């Protein structure tokens, strides 16, 4: 079989590009420490409401100006809702879901998580200014998805 010279070049070029592409993908996916959540962050989705800390959802003070906000994202609510947080507080959000994948986006901040059943998803944010923040579910989770939101009020 005769392959035209230029065709051969393009074939080789294509294969090299594919190699580069797969290498970049492999490196960006795993080399930067972007591993799936560790075992320590796992939870049985069927027992969320009986498993600490999700058996007591809410804002828990852990130090001076430091809090943990334990939240359950469930079709189609966030529990607890309408949380009040003192201004200046450093808050670590711990969120999980007992049913399907939800989103946890704190609008106007970099806090944006995918809430995956079986995992405890967490991020920390410091509220330097008073005001109201909207928490939105930004993963389609069913018929009530568009109603799934709550508010955080940061008070002086
Ligand atoms: Cu929960 Cu969309």
């Amino acid at each position: 079989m005769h392959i035209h010279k230029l065709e051969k070049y393009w074939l080789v070029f294509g294969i090299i590009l594919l190699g580069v592409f797969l290498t970049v993908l492999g490196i960006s996916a795993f080399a930067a420490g972007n591993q799936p959540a560790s075992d320590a962050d796992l939870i049985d989705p069927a027992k969320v409401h009986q498993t600490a800390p999700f058996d007591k959802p809410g804002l828990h003070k852990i130090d001076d100006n430091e809090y943990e906000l334990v939240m359950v994202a469930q079709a189609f609510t966030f529990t607890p809702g309408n949380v009040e947080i003192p201004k200046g507080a450093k808050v670590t959000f711990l969120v999980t879901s007992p049913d399907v994948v939800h989103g946890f986006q704190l609008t106007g901040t970099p806090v944006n998580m995918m809430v995956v059943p079986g995992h405890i998803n967490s991020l920390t944010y410091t509220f330097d200014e008073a005001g109201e923040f909207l928490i939105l579910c930004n993963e389609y989770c069913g018929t009530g998805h568009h109603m799934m939101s709550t508010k955080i009020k940061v008070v002086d």
Side-chain angles (χ1 to χ4, degrees):
M1 190 178 71
H2 177 75
I3 300 178
H4 192 279
K5 210 176 180 182
L6 273 178
E7 218 169 325
K8 225 186 263 179
Y9 287 156
W10 278 109
L11 210 62
V12 171
F13 181 68
I15 291 168
I16 291 171
L17 263 194
L18 184 66
V20 168
F21 179 66
L22 289 177
T23 309
V24 168
L25 255 192
I27 289 171
S28 58
F30 299 110
N34 294 328
Q35 306 292 344
S38 69
D39 285 349
D41 301 318
L42 293 180
I43 182 167
D44 181 349
K47 292 184 182 142
V48 163
H49 302 295
Q50 294 92 55
T51 309
F54 297 98
D55 54 342
K56 293 187 184 78
L59 188 68
H60 307 300
K61 191 166 187 167
I62 50 174
D63 208 342
D64 267 359
N65 248 3
E66 246 186 276
Y67 296 82
E68 255 177 16
L69 180 51
V70 177
M71 263 196 172
V72 177
Q74 183 168 12
F76 301 100
T77 53
F78 291 101
T79 309
N82 302 313
V83 179
E84 270 198 12
I85 292 175
K87 185 180 146 186
K90 182 180 170 189
V91 179
T92 298
F93 297 94
L94 295 174
V95 192
T96 195
S97 161
D99 44 36
V100 296
V101 173
H102 296 280
F104 184 96
Q105 182 178 8
L106 190 62
T107 54
T109 77
V111 177
N112 191 353
M113 296 187 275
M114 197 183 211
V115 183
V116 183
H119 291 269
I120 297 169
N121 310 276
S122 79
L123 268 179
T124 301
Y125 184 73
T126 302
F127 291 90
D128 291 322
E129 281 174 32
E132 265 196 359
F133 292 81
L134 187 65
I135 295 174
L136 279 180
C137 175
N138 57 10
E139 295 283 340
Y140 182 74
C141 53
T143 51
H145 163 71
H146 63 287
M147 301 183 304
M148 190 168 167
S149 71
T150 188
K151 274 177 188 163
I152 281 182
K153 205 171 176 186
V154 179
V155 291
D156 260 317

